[in-house]
Amino acid sequence: RWAGRERAAAWGGVLAGAFAIDAAAGRQLRRYARDPANHAWVIDRGVWRYSPHPNFLGEIGFWWGMWRFGFVVRVYSDC
């Protein structure tokens, strides 16, 4: 069974991963939109290849991970 620190570290990893997905999606979308040749096309490269809305996936994952991280810290803290 995992102790509180291990659970907090795991959910911290979820937070970091979701933030990385969101940041990568935003960076890739800005780079794609900057090129005038792409205005008639849908982005299908990078993280956009796996999901039509990876920035929303990252955002939802971030807040879900934040809630779970806070829950674990509160439940397993000494206060």
Side-chain angles (χ1 to χ4, degrees), residues 66-76:
M66 184 68 81
W67 173 74
R68 289 296 296 172
F69 180 79
F71 177 77
V72 168
V73 169
R74 177 69 178 117
V75 167
Y76 290 97

Side-chain angles (χ1 to χ4, degrees), residues 20 22-39 41-49:
D22 192 21
R27 188 174 51 252
Q28 291 170 1
L29 182 60
R30 281 190 299 278
R31 188 178 313 138
Y32 186 83
R34 210 176 298 141
D35 186 1
N38 293 330
H39 286 291
W41 303 100
V42 175
I43 186 170
D44 60 354
R45 289 181 238 144
V47 294
W48 295 86
R49 181 177 3 160

